[in-house]
Coordinates of all heavy atoms in Angstrom, one line a residue:
M4 N -33.3 40.4 3.2 CA -33.8 40.1 1.9 C -32.7 39.6 1.0 O -31.7 40.3 0.9 CB -34.5 41.3 1.3 CG -35.1 41.2 0.0 SD -35.8 42.7 -0.4 CE -37.0 42.3 -1.6
P5 N -32.8 38.5 0.3 CA -31.7 38.0 -0.6 C -31.6 38.8 -1.8 O -32.5 39.6 -2.2 CB -32.2 36.6 -0.9 CG -33.6 36.5 -0.7 CD -33.9 37.6 0.4
F6 N -30.4 38.7 -2.4 CA -30.1 39.4 -3.6 C -31.0 38.9 -4.8 O -31.4 37.8 -4.8 CB -28.7 39.3 -4.1 CG -27.7 40.0 -3.3 CD1 -26.8 39.4 -2.5 CD2 -27.7 41.4 -3.3 CE1 -25.9 40.1 -1.7 CE2 -26.8 42.1 -2.6 CZ -25.9 41.5 -1.8
A7 N -31.3 39.8 -5.7 CA -32.1 39.4 -6.9 C -31.3 38.5 -7.7 O -30.0 38.5 -7.8 CB -32.6 40.6 -7.6
K8 N -31.9 37.6 -8.5 CA -31.3 36.7 -9.4 C -30.4 37.5 -10.4 O -30.9 38.4 -11.0 CB -32.3 35.8 -10.1 CG -31.7 34.6 -10.7 CD -32.8 33.7 -11.2 CE -32.2 32.3 -11.6 NZ -33.3 31.4 -11.9
G9 N -29.2 37.0 -10.6 CA -28.3 37.7 -11.5 C -27.5 38.8 -11.0 O -26.7 39.5 -11.7
N10 N -27.6 39.1 -9.7 CA -26.8 40.2 -9.1 C -25.3 39.8 -9.0 O -25.0 38.8 -8.5 CB -27.4 40.5 -7.6 CG -26.7 41.6 -7.0 OD1 -25.8 42.2 -7.5 ND2 -27.2 42.0 -5.8
K11 N -24.5 40.7 -9.5 CA -23.0 40.5 -9.5 C -22.3 41.1 -8.3 O -21.1 41.0 -8.2 CB -22.4 41.0 -10.8 CG -23.1 40.4 -12.1 CD -22.7 39.0 -12.2 CE -23.3 38.4 -13.5 NZ -23.1 37.0 -13.7
L12 N -23.0 41.8 -7.4 CA -22.3 42.6 -6.4 C -21.8 41.6 -5.3 O -20.7 41.8 -4.7 CB -23.2 43.6 -5.8 CG -23.5 44.8 -6.8 CD1 -24.5 45.7 -6.1 CD2 -22.3 45.5 -7.2
G13 N -22.6 40.7 -4.9 CA -22.2 39.8 -3.8 C -21.9 38.4 -4.2 O -22.6 37.5 -3.9
K14 N -20.8 38.2 -5.0 CA -20.5 36.9 -5.5 C -20.0 35.9 -4.5 O -20.2 34.8 -4.6 CB -19.3 37.1 -6.6 CG -19.7 37.8 -7.8 CD -18.6 37.7 -8.8 CE -18.2 39.0 -9.3 NZ -17.1 39.0 -10.2
G15 N -19.3 36.4 -3.5 CA -18.7 35.5 -2.5 C -17.4 34.9 -2.9 O -16.8 35.4 -3.9
R16 N -16.9 33.9 -2.2 CA -15.6 33.3 -2.6 C -15.8 32.4 -3.8 O -16.8 31.6 -3.8 CB -15.1 32.5 -1.3 CG -13.8 31.9 -1.5 CD -13.2 31.3 -0.3 NE -14.0 30.3 0.3 CZ -14.6 30.3 1.5 NH1 -14.3 31.4 2.3 NH2 -15.3 29.4 1.9
P17 N -14.9 32.5 -4.7 CA -15.1 31.6 -5.9 C -14.9 30.1 -5.5 O -14.3 29.8 -4.5 CB -13.9 32.0 -6.8 CG -13.5 33.3 -6.4 CD -13.8 33.4 -4.9
A18 N -15.6 29.2 -6.2 CA -15.5 27.8 -6.0 C -14.1 27.3 -6.0 O -13.3 27.6 -6.9 CB -16.4 27.0 -7.0
G19 N -13.7 26.5 -5.0 CA -12.4 25.9 -4.9 C -11.3 26.8 -4.2 O -10.2 26.3 -3.9
Q20 N -11.6 28.0 -4.0 CA -10.7 28.9 -3.3 C -10.8 28.7 -1.8 O -11.9 28.6 -1.2 CB -10.9 30.4 -3.6 CG -9.9 31.3 -3.1 CD -10.1 32.7 -3.5 OE1 -11.1 33.0 -4.2 NE2 -9.1 33.6 -3.2
L21 N -9.6 28.6 -1.1 CA -9.6 28.4 0.3 C -9.9 29.6 1.1 O -9.5 30.7 0.7 CB -8.2 27.8 0.7 CG -7.8 26.5 0.1 CD1 -6.3 26.2 0.5 CD2 -8.7 25.4 0.4
N22 N -10.5 29.5 2.3 CA -10.6 30.7 3.1 C -9.3 31.0 3.8 O -8.4 30.2 3.7 CB -11.8 30.5 4.2 CG -11.5 29.4 5.1 OD1 -10.4 29.0 5.3 ND2 -12.5 28.9 5.7
R23 N -9.1 32.1 4.4 CA -7.8 32.6 4.9 C -7.2 31.6 5.9 O -6.1 31.3 5.9 CB -8.0 34.0 5.5 CG -8.0 35.0 4.4 CD -8.0 36.5 5.1 NE -8.7 37.4 4.2 CZ -9.8 37.9 4.4 NH1 -10.5 37.7 5.5 NH2 -10.4 38.7 3.5
S24 N -8.0 31.2 6.9 CA -7.5 30.4 8.0 C -7.0 29.0 7.4 O -6.0 28.5 7.8 CB -8.5 30.1 9.1 OG -9.7 29.5 8.6
T25 N -7.7 28.4 6.5 CA -7.3 27.1 5.9 C -6.0 27.3 5.1 O -5.1 26.5 5.1 CB -8.4 26.6 5.0 OG1 -9.6 26.4 5.7 CG2 -8.0 25.2 4.4
E26 N -6.0 28.4 4.3 CA -4.8 28.7 3.5 C -3.6 28.9 4.4 O -2.5 28.4 4.1 CB -5.0 30.0 2.7 CG -4.0 30.3 1.7 CD -4.3 31.4 0.8 OE1 -5.4 32.0 1.0 OE2 -3.5 31.7 -0.1
Q27 N -3.7 29.6 5.5 CA -2.6 29.9 6.5 C -2.2 28.6 7.1 O -1.0 28.3 7.3 CB -3.0 30.9 7.5 CG -3.1 32.3 6.9 CD -3.6 33.3 7.9 OE1 -4.0 33.0 9.0 NE2 -3.6 34.6 7.6
A28 N -3.1 27.7 7.5 CA -2.8 26.4 8.1 C -2.0 25.6 7.2 O -1.0 24.9 7.6 CB -4.1 25.7 8.6
K29 N -2.4 25.5 5.9 CA -1.7 24.7 4.9 C -0.3 25.2 4.7 O 0.6 24.4 4.5 CB -2.5 24.6 3.6 CG -3.7 23.7 3.7 CD -4.3 23.5 2.3 CE -5.4 22.5 2.4 NZ -5.8 22.0 1.1
L30 N -0.2 26.5 4.7 CA 1.1 27.1 4.5 C 2.1 26.8 5.7 O 3.2 26.5 5.5 CB 1.0 28.6 4.3 CG 2.3 29.4 4.0 CD1 2.9 28.9 2.7 CD2 2.0 30.9 3.9
A31 N 1.5 26.9 6.9 CA 2.3 26.5 8.1 C 2.8 25.1 8.1 O 3.9 24.8 8.3 CB 1.5 26.8 9.3
I32 N 1.9 24.2 7.7 CA 2.2 22.8 7.6 C 3.3 22.5 6.5 O 4.2 21.7 6.7 CB 1.0 21.9 7.4 CG1 0.1 22.0 8.6 CG2 1.3 20.5 7.0 CD1 -1.3 21.4 8.4
A33 N 3.1 23.2 5.4 CA 4.1 23.1 4.3 C 5.5 23.5 4.8 O 6.5 22.9 4.4 CB 3.7 23.8 3.1
R34 N 5.6 24.6 5.5 CA 6.9 25.1 6.0 C 7.5 24.1 7.0 O 8.7 23.9 6.9 CB 6.7 26.5 6.7 CG 6.4 27.6 5.7 CD 6.3 28.9 6.5 NE 6.0 30.0 5.5 CZ 5.3 31.1 5.8 NH1 4.8 31.2 7.0 NH2 5.1 32.0 4.8
I35 N 6.7 23.6 7.9 CA 7.2 22.6 8.8 C 7.7 21.3 8.1 O 8.8 20.8 8.3 CB 6.1 22.2 9.8 CG1 5.9 23.4 10.8 CG2 6.6 21.0 10.7 CD1 4.6 23.2 11.6
A36 N 6.9 20.9 7.1 CA 7.3 19.7 6.3 C 8.6 20.0 5.5 O 9.5 19.1 5.4 CB 6.2 19.3 5.4
N37 N 8.7 21.1 5.0 CA 9.9 21.5 4.2 C 11.1 21.5 5.0 O 12.2 21.0 4.6 CB 9.7 22.8 3.5 CG 10.7 23.1 2.4 OD1 11.2 22.1 1.9 ND2 10.9 24.3 2.0
G38 N 11.0 22.0 6.3 CA 12.2 22.0 7.2 C 12.5 20.6 7.6 O 13.7 20.3 7.8
G39 N 11.5 19.7 7.7 CA 11.8 18.3 8.1 C 12.4 17.5 7.0 O 13.0 16.5 7.3
L40 N 12.3 17.9 5.8 CA 13.0 17.2 4.7 C 14.5 17.2 4.8 O 15.1 16.2 4.5 CB 12.6 17.8 3.3 CG 11.1 17.5 2.9 CD1 10.8 18.2 1.6 CD2 10.8 16.1 2.8
D41 N 15.1 18.3 5.3 CA 16.5 18.3 5.5 C 17.0 17.3 6.6 O 17.9 16.6 6.4 CB 17.0 19.7 5.8 CG 16.8 20.7 4.7 OD1 16.8 20.3 3.5 OD2 16.6 21.9 5.0
I42 N 16.2 17.3 7.6 CA 16.5 16.4 8.7 C 16.3 14.9 8.2 O 17.1 14.0 8.6 CB 15.6 16.7 10.0 CG1 15.9 18.1 10.5 CG2 15.8 15.6 11.0 CD1 14.9 18.6 11.5
L43 N 15.2 14.7 7.5 CA 15.0 13.4 6.9 C 16.1 12.9 6.1 O 16.5 11.7 6.1 CB 13.6 13.4 6.2 CG 13.2 12.1 5.6 CD1 12.9 11.1 6.7 CD2 11.9 12.3 4.8
R44 N 16.6 13.8 5.2 CA 17.7 13.5 4.4 C 18.9 13.0 5.2 O 19.6 12.0 4.9 CB 18.1 14.7 3.5 CG 19.0 14.3 2.3 CD 19.2 15.5 1.4 NE 18.0 15.9 0.7 CZ 17.4 17.1 0.8 NH1 18.0 18.1 1.4 NH2 16.3 17.3 0.1
E45 N 19.2 13.8 6.2 CA 20.4 13.4 7.1 C 20.2 12.1 7.8 O 21.1 11.3 7.9 CB 20.6 14.5 8.2 CG 21.0 15.8 7.6 CD 21.0 17.0 8.6 OE1 20.7 16.7 9.8 OE2 21.2 18.1 8.2
D46 N 18.9 11.8 8.3 CA 18.6 10.6 8.9 C 18.8 9.4 8.0 O 19.3 8.3 8.3 CB 17.2 10.6 9.5 CG 17.1 11.6 10.7 OD1 18.1 12.0 11.2 OD2 15.9 11.9 11.1
L47 N 18.3 9.6 6.7 CA 18.4 8.5 5.8 C 19.9 8.2 5.5 O 20.3 7.1 5.3 CB 17.7 8.8 4.5 CG 16.2 8.5 4.4 CD1 15.6 9.0 3.1 CD2 16.0 7.0 4.4
E48 N 20.7 9.2 5.4 CA 22.2 9.1 5.2 C 22.8 8.3 6.3 O 23.6 7.4 6.1 CB 22.8 10.4 5.0 CG 24.2 10.4 4.4 CD 24.2 9.8 3.0 OE1 23.3 10.0 2.2 OE2 25.1 9.0 2.8
K49 N 22.4 8.6 7.6 CA 22.9 7.8 8.7 C 22.5 6.4 8.7 O 23.3 5.5 8.9 CB 22.4 8.5 10.0 CG 23.0 9.8 10.4 CD 22.4 10.4 11.6 CE 22.9 11.8 11.9 NZ 22.2 12.4 13.0
I50 N 21.2 6.1 8.3 CA 20.8 4.7 8.2 C 21.5 4.0 7.1 O 21.8 2.8 7.2 CB 19.2 4.7 8.0 CG1 18.5 5.3 9.3 CG2 18.7 3.3 7.7 CD1 17.0 5.5 9.1
R51 N 21.7 4.7 6.0 CA 22.4 4.1 4.9 C 23.8 3.6 5.2 O 24.3 2.6 4.8 CB 22.5 5.1 3.7 CG 23.1 4.4 2.4 CD 23.1 5.4 1.3 NE 21.8 5.9 1.0 CZ 21.6 7.2 0.6 NH1 22.6 8.0 0.5 NH2 20.4 7.6 0.3
K52 N 24.5 4.4 6.1 CA 25.9 4.0 6.5 C 25.8 2.7 7.3 O 26.7 1.8 7.2 CB 26.5 5.1 7.3 CG 26.9 6.3 6.4 CD 27.5 7.4 7.2 CE 27.8 8.6 6.3 NZ 28.3 9.8 7.1
D53 N 24.8 2.6 8.2 CA 24.8 1.4 9.1 C 24.1 0.2 8.4 O 24.5 -0.9 8.6 CB 24.0 1.8 10.4 CG 24.7 2.8 11.2 OD1 26.0 2.9 11.1 OD2 24.1 3.5 12.0
N54 N 23.0 0.5 7.7 CA 22.2 -0.6 7.1 C 21.6 -0.1 5.8 O 20.5 0.4 5.7 CB 21.1 -0.9 8.1 CG 20.3 -2.2 7.7 OD1 20.5 -2.7 6.6 ND2 19.5 -2.7 8.6
P55 N 22.4 -0.3 4.7 CA 22.0 0.2 3.4 C 20.7 -0.5 2.9 O 19.9 0.2 2.2 CB 23.1 -0.2 2.5 CG 24.1 -1.0 3.2 CD 23.7 -1.0 4.7
I56 N 20.4 -1.7 3.3 CA 19.2 -2.4 2.8 C 18.0 -1.7 3.4 O 17.0 -1.5 2.8 CB 19.2 -3.9 3.1 CG1 20.4 -4.5 2.3 CG2 17.9 -4.6 2.8 CD1 20.6 -6.0 2.6
E57 N 18.0 -1.5 4.7 CA 16.9 -0.8 5.4 C 16.7 0.6 4.9 O 15.6 1.1 4.7 CB 17.2 -0.8 6.9 CG 16.0 -0.3 7.7 CD 14.8 -1.2 7.6 OE1 15.0 -2.4 7.5 OE2 13.7 -0.7 7.7
A58 N 17.8 1.3 4.5 CA 17.7 2.6 4.0 C 17.0 2.6 2.6 O 16.1 3.4 2.3 CB 19.0 3.3 3.8
A59 N 17.3 1.6 1.8 CA 16.6 1.4 0.5 C 15.1 1.2 0.7 O 14.3 1.7 -0.1 CB 17.3 0.3 -0.3
K60 N 14.8 0.3 1.7 CA 13.4 0.0 1.9 C 12.6 1.3 2.3 O 11.5 1.5 1.9 CB 13.2 -1.0 3.0 CG 13.6 -2.4 2.6 CD 13.5 -3.4 3.7 CE 14.0 -4.8 3.4 NZ 13.9 -5.7 4.5
L61 N 13.2 2.1 3.2 CA 12.6 3.3 3.7 C 12.4 4.3 2.5 O 11.4 4.9 2.3 CB 13.4 4.0 4.8 CG 13.4 3.3 6.1 CD1 14.4 3.9 7.1 CD2 12.0 3.5 6.7
Y62 N 13.4 4.4 1.6 CA 13.4 5.3 0.5 C 12.2 4.9 -0.4 O 11.5 5.7 -0.9 CB 14.7 5.2 -0.3 CG 14.8 6.1 -1.4 CD1 14.9 7.5 -1.3 CD2 14.8 5.6 -2.7 CE1 14.9 8.3 -2.4 CE2 14.8 6.4 -3.8 CZ 14.9 7.8 -3.7 OH 14.9 8.6 -4.7
L63 N 12.1 3.6 -0.7 CA 11.0 3.1 -1.5 C 9.6 3.3 -0.9 O 8.7 3.7 -1.6 CB 11.2 1.6 -1.8 CG 12.4 1.2 -2.7 CD1 12.5 -0.3 -2.8 CD2 12.2 1.8 -4.1
R64 N 9.5 3.2 0.4 CA 8.3 3.5 1.1 C 7.9 5.0 1.0 O 6.8 5.4 0.8 CB 8.3 3.1 2.5 CG 8.2 1.5 2.6 CD 8.3 1.1 4.1 NE 7.2 1.6 4.8 CZ 7.1 1.5 6.2 NH1 8.1 1.0 6.8 NH2 6.1 2.0 6.8
L65 N 8.9 5.8 1.0 CA 8.7 7.3 0.9 C 8.3 7.6 -0.5 O 7.5 8.6 -0.7 CB 9.9 8.1 1.3 CG 10.3 8.1 2.8 CD1 11.6 8.8 3.0 CD2 9.2 8.9 3.5
L66 N 8.8 6.9 -1.5 CA 8.5 7.2 -2.9 C 7.0 7.0 -3.2 O 6.5 7.6 -4.1 CB 9.3 6.3 -3.8 CG 10.7 6.8 -4.2 CD1 11.4 5.8 -5.1 CD2 10.7 8.2 -4.8
E67 N 6.4 6.1 -2.4 CA 4.9 5.9 -2.6 C 4.1 7.1 -2.4 O 3.0 7.2 -3.0 CB 4.5 4.8 -1.7 CG 5.0 3.4 -2.0 CD 4.6 2.4 -1.0 OE1 3.7 2.7 -0.1 OE2 5.1 1.3 -1.0
Y68 N 4.6 8.1 -1.6 CA 3.9 9.3 -1.4 C 4.2 10.4 -2.5 O 3.5 11.4 -2.5 CB 4.2 9.9 0.0 CG 3.7 8.9 1.1 CD1 4.6 8.0 1.7 CD2 2.4 9.0 1.5 CE1 4.1 7.2 2.7 CE2 1.9 8.1 2.5 CZ 2.8 7.2 3.1 OH 2.3 6.4 4.0
I69 N 5.2 10.1 -3.3 CA 5.5 11.1 -4.3 C 5.1 10.7 -5.7 O 4.5 11.4 -6.4 CB 7.1 11.4 -4.2 CG1 7.4 11.9 -2.9 CG2 7.5 12.3 -5.3 CD1 8.9 11.9 -2.6
V70 N 5.5 9.4 -6.0 CA 5.2 8.9 -7.3 C 3.9 8.0 -7.2 O 3.9 7.1 -6.4 CB 6.4 8.0 -7.8 CG1 6.1 7.4 -9.2 CG2 7.7 8.8 -7.9
P71 N 2.9 8.3 -8.0 CA 1.7 7.5 -8.0 C 1.9 6.1 -8.4 O 2.7 5.8 -9.3 CB 0.7 8.3 -8.9 CG 1.6 9.1 -9.8 CD 2.9 9.4 -9.0
K72 N 1.2 5.2 -7.8 CA 1.3 3.8 -8.2 C 0.5 3.5 -9.4 O -0.6 4.2 -9.6 CB 0.8 2.9 -7.0 CG 1.6 2.8 -5.8 CD 1.0 1.9 -4.8 CE 1.9 1.7 -3.6 NZ 1.3 0.8 -2.6
K73 N 0.9 2.6 -10.2 CA 0.1 2.2 -11.3 C -1.0 1.3 -10.8 O -0.8 0.4 -10.0 CB 1.0 1.4 -12.3 CG 2.1 2.2 -12.9 CD 1.6 3.1 -14.0 CE 2.8 3.8 -14.6 NZ 2.4 4.7 -15.6
S74 N -2.2 1.5 -11.2 CA -3.3 0.7 -10.8 C -3.5 -0.4 -11.8 O -3.4 -0.2 -13.0 CB -4.6 1.5 -10.6 OG -5.0 2.1 -11.8
S75 N -3.9 -1.6 -11.3 CA -4.2 -2.7 -12.3 C -5.6 -2.6 -12.8 O -6.5 -2.0 -12.2 CB -4.0 -4.0 -11.5 OG -4.9 -4.1 -10.5
M76 N -5.7 -3.1 -14.0 CA -7.0 -3.0 -14.6 C -7.4 -4.4 -15.1 O -6.6 -5.1 -15.7 CB -6.9 -2.0 -15.8 CG -8.0 -1.2 -16.2 SD -7.5 -0.2 -17.6 CE -8.6 1.0 -17.5
E77 N -8.7 -4.7 -14.9 CA -9.1 -6.0 -15.4 C -10.2 -5.8 -16.4 O -11.2 -5.1 -16.1 CB -9.6 -6.8 -14.2 CG -9.9 -8.3 -14.5 CD -10.2 -9.1 -13.3 OE1 -9.5 -8.9 -12.3 OE2 -11.2 -9.9 -13.3
I78 N -10.1 -6.4 -17.5 CA -11.0 -6.3 -18.6 C -11.6 -7.7 -18.9 O -10.9 -8.7 -19.0 CB -10.4 -5.7 -19.9 CG1 -9.8 -4.4 -19.6 CG2 -11.4 -5.7 -21.0 CD1 -9.1 -3.8 -20.7
S79 N -12.9 -7.8 -18.9 CA -13.5 -9.1 -19.2 C -14.6 -8.8 -20.2 O -15.2 -7.8 -20.3 CB -14.1 -9.7 -17.9 OG -15.1 -8.9 -17.4
G80 N -14.9 -9.9 -20.9 CA -16.0 -9.7 -21.9 C -16.3 -11.1 -22.5 O -15.6 -12.1 -22.3
E81 N -17.3 -11.1 -23.3 CA -17.7 -12.4 -24.0 C -17.6 -12.1 -25.5 O -17.9 -11.1 -26.0 CB -19.1 -12.7 -23.7 CG -19.3 -13.4 -22.3 CD -20.7 -13.9 -22.1 OE1 -21.3 -14.3 -23.1 OE2 -21.1 -13.8 -21.0
I82 N -17.2 -13.2 -26.2 CA -17.2 -13.2 -27.7 C -18.4 -14.1 -28.1 O -18.3 -15.3 -27.9 CB -15.9 -13.6 -28.2 CG1 -14.8 -12.7 -27.7 CG2 -15.9 -13.7 -29.7 CD1 -13.4 -13.1 -28.1
N83 N -19.4 -13.5 -28.7 CA -20.5 -14.3 -29.2 C -20.4 -14.5 -30.7 O -21.2 -14.0 -31.4 CB -21.8 -13.6 -28.8 CG -22.0 -13.6 -27.3 OD1 -21.6 -14.5 -26.6 ND2 -22.6 -12.5 -26.8
Q84 N -19.4 -15.2 -31.1 CA -19.2 -15.3 -32.5 C -18.9 -16.8 -32.8 O -18.1 -17.4 -32.1 CB -18.1 -14.4 -33.0 CG -18.0 -14.2 -34.5 CD -17.0 -13.1 -34.8 OE1 -16.1 -12.9 -34.1 NE2 -17.2 -12.5 -35.9
R85 N -19.4 -17.3 -33.8 CA -19.2 -18.7 -34.1 C -18.0 -18.9 -35.0 O -17.8 -18.1 -35.9 CB -20.5 -19.2 -34.9 CG -20.6 -20.7 -34.8 CD -22.0 -21.0 -35.3 NE -22.1 -22.5 -35.2 CZ -22.8 -23.2 -35.9 NH1 -23.6 -22.7 -36.7 NH2 -22.8 -24.5 -35.7
I86 N -17.2 -19.9 -34.8 CA -16.0 -20.2 -35.6 C -16.5 -20.8 -36.9 O -17.1 -21.9 -36.9 CB -15.0 -21.1 -34.8 CG1 -14.6 -20.4 -33.6 CG2 -13.9 -21.4 -35.7 CD1 -13.7 -21.3 -32.7
Q87 N -16.1 -20.2 -38.0 CA -16.6 -20.6 -39.3 C -15.6 -21.7 -39.9 O -16.1 -22.7 -40.5 CB -16.7 -19.4 -40.3 CG -17.7 -18.4 -39.8 CD -19.1 -18.9 -39.8 OE1 -19.5 -19.8 -40.6 NE2 -19.9 -18.4 -38.8
Q88 N -14.3 -21.4 -39.8 CA -13.4 -22.3 -40.4 C -12.1 -22.3 -39.6 O -11.6 -21.3 -39.1 CB -13.1 -21.8 -41.9 CG -12.1 -22.7 -42.6 CD -11.9 -22.2 -44.0 OE1 -12.5 -21.2 -44.4 NE2 -11.1 -22.9 -44.8
T89 N -11.5 -23.5 -39.5 CA -10.2 -23.6 -38.8 C -9.2 -24.2 -39.8 O -9.5 -25.2 -40.4 CB -10.3 -24.5 -37.6 OG1 -11.3 -23.9 -36.7 CG2 -9.0 -24.6 -36.8
S90 N -8.1 -23.7 -39.9 CA -7.1 -24.2 -40.8 C -5.8 -24.5 -40.0 O -5.3 -23.7 -39.2 CB -6.7 -23.1 -41.9 OG -5.7 -23.6 -42.7
I91 N -5.3 -25.7 -40.2 CA -4.1 -26.2 -39.5 C -3.0 -26.5 -40.6 O -3.2 -27.3 -41.5 CB -4.3 -27.5 -38.7 CG1 -5.4 -27.2 -37.6 CG2 -3.1 -27.9 -38.0 CD1 -5.9 -28.4 -36.9
N92 N -1.8 -25.9 -40.4 CA -0.7 -26.1 -41.3 C 0.3 -27.0 -40.7 O 0.7 -26.8 -39.5 CB 0.0 -24.8 -41.7 CG -0.9 -23.9 -42.5 OD1 -1.8 -24.4 -43.2 ND2 -0.8 -22.6 -42.4
I93 N 0.7 -28.1 -41.4 CA 1.6 -29.1 -40.8 C 2.9 -28.9 -41.7 O 2.8 -29.0 -42.9 CB 1.1 -30.5 -40.9 CG1 -0.1 -30.6 -40.0 CG2 2.2 -31.5 -40.4 CD1 -0.8 -32.0 -40.1
K94 N 4.0 -28.7 -41.0 CA 5.3 -28.6 -41.8 C 6.1 -29.8 -41.5 O 6.4 -30.2 -40.4 CB 6.0 -27.3 -41.3 CG 5.3 -26.0 -41.6 CD 6.2 -24.9 -41.2 CE 5.5 -23.6 -41.6 NZ 6.3 -22.4 -41.4
D95 N 6.5 -30.5 -42.6 CA 7.3 -31.6 -42.5 C 8.8 -31.4 -43.0 O 9.6 -32.3 -43.2 CB 6.7 -32.8 -43.3 CG 6.6 -32.6 -44.7 OD1 6.9 -31.4 -45.2 OD2 6.1 -33.5 -45.4
G96 N 9.1 -30.2 -43.3 CA 10.4 -29.8 -43.7 C 10.6 -29.7 -45.2 O 11.5 -29.1 -45.7
T97 N 9.6 -30.2 -46.0 CA 9.8 -30.1 -47.5 C 8.9 -29.1 -48.0 O 9.3 -28.3 -48.8 CB 9.5 -31.5 -48.1 OG1 8.1 -31.9 -47.7 CG2 10.5 -32.6 -47.7
A98 N 7.6 -29.1 -47.6 CA 6.7 -28.1 -48.2 C 5.5 -28.0 -47.2 O 5.2 -28.9 -46.4 CB 6.1 -28.6 -49.5
D99 N 4.8 -26.8 -47.3 CA 3.7 -26.6 -46.4 C 2.5 -27.2 -47.1 O 2.3 -27.1 -48.3 CB 3.4 -25.1 -46.2 CG 4.5 -24.5 -45.4 OD1 5.2 -25.2 -44.7 OD2 4.6 -23.2 -45.5
R100 N 1.7 -28.0 -46.4 CA 0.5 -28.6 -46.9 C -0.7 -28.4 -46.0 O -0.5 -28.4 -44.7 CB 0.6 -30.1 -47.1 CG 1.6 -30.5 -48.2 CD 1.7 -32.0 -48.4 NE 2.8 -32.4 -47.7 CZ 3.1 -33.7 -47.4 NH1 2.2 -34.6 -47.7 NH2 4.1 -34.0 -46.7
H101 N -1.9 -28.2 -46.5 CA -3.0 -28.1 -45.6 C -3.6 -29.5 -45.4 O -3.5 -30.4 -46.3 CB -4.1 -27.2 -46.3 CG -3.6 -25.8 -46.4 ND1 -3.7 -24.9 -45.3 CD2 -3.1 -25.1 -47.4 CE1 -3.2 -23.7 -45.7 NE2 -2.9 -23.8 -46.9
I102 N -4.3 -29.7 -44.3 CA -4.9 -31.0 -44.0 C -5.9 -31.4 -45.0 O -6.1 -32.5 -45.4 CB -5.5 -31.0 -42.6 CG1 -4.4 -31.0 -41.6 CG2 -6.4 -32.2 -42.4 CD1 -4.9 -31.0 -40.1
K103 N -6.7 -30.4 -45.5 CA -7.7 -30.7 -46.5 C -7.1 -31.1 -47.8 O -7.8 -31.8 -48.6 CB -8.7 -29.5 -46.7 CG -8.0 -28.3 -47.2 CD -9.0 -27.2 -47.3 CE -8.3 -25.9 -47.8 NZ -9.2 -24.8 -47.9
D104 N -5.8 -30.9 -48.1 CA -5.2 -31.3 -49.3 C -4.7 -32.7 -49.2 O -4.4 -33.3 -50.2 CB -4.0 -30.4 -49.6 CG -4.4 -29.0 -49.9 OD1 -5.6 -28.8 -50.3 OD2 -3.6 -28.0 -49.8
L105 N -4.6 -33.3 -48.0 CA -4.0 -34.7 -47.8 C -5.0 -35.7 -48.2 O -6.0 -35.9 -48.3 CB -3.5 -34.8 -46.4 CG -2.4 -33.9 -46.0 CD1 -2.1 -34.2 -44.5 CD2 -1.2 -34.2 -46.8

C-alpha cells in the first residue's frame, strides 16, 4: 500500500543527488584523470622541446574542454517604418549648406 499524500517519512533520494555507485564511479574516474594530468604535463613539455608549434596546437585543443567557446548569435528582423525625410549635407570647405537651401 503506497504512502498517504503528504507523508514525510519516505522521502527517498533528493532530486539531483547521485546514488552511491554512480558517486563512487565518478570519484574513481576523477582520481585517474587527476593522476594523468601530471603525465600529460610532462608529455606536453617533451613535445614542446621537439616541436613547439605542435605543442601549442595540442594546448589549444585541450583548452576547448576547459574554457567554454563563445557561441555566435544571429539576429534578424524587419523594420516596417516609412522614411519621412532625408537630409544630405554637402561640405565645400567654406560653410555647411543643405540641398534644400541651394
Side-chain angles (χ1 to χ4, degrees):
M4 178 180 204
F6 286 112
K8 196 171 191 174
N10 185 353
K11 302 290 183 186
L12 295 176
K14 292 189 235 178
R16 186 172 57 240
Q20 187 176 6
L21 302 175
N22 63 22
R23 282 187 207 110
S24 60
T25 304
E26 188 175 2
Q27 288 174 353
K29 285 189 173 193
L30 184 60
I32 291 170
R34 286 181 181 150
I35 292 169
N37 197 20
L40 288 177
D41 294 331
I42 297 168
L43 182 64
R44 191 175 296 123
E45 292 170 7
D46 290 344
L47 272 175
E48 196 59 41
K49 289 177 188 174
I50 294 171
R51 185 179 302 142
K52 288 178 184 175
D53 296 337
N54 191 347
I56 294 173
E57 189 63 31
K60 288 178 184 177
L61 287 171
Y62 182 72
L63 290 174
R64 286 180 60 194
L65 287 172
L66 278 179
E67 292 177 6
Y68 294 98
I69 299 167
V70 180
K72 289 183 178 181
K73 299 280 183 180
S74 62
S75 63
M76 213 178 198
E77 191 171 314
I78 299 174
S79 62
E81 282 187 35
I82 300 174
N83 296 324
Q84 199 172 24
R85 202 165 182 208
I86 298 174
Q87 299 295 328
Q88 181 180 358
T89 303
S90 176
I91 301 173
N92 294 330
I93 300 174
K94 294 185 177 187
D95 60 359
T97 57
D99 293 340
R100 291 184 263 165
H101 293 281
I102 290 181
K103 63 182 178 183
D104 296 336
L105 296 176

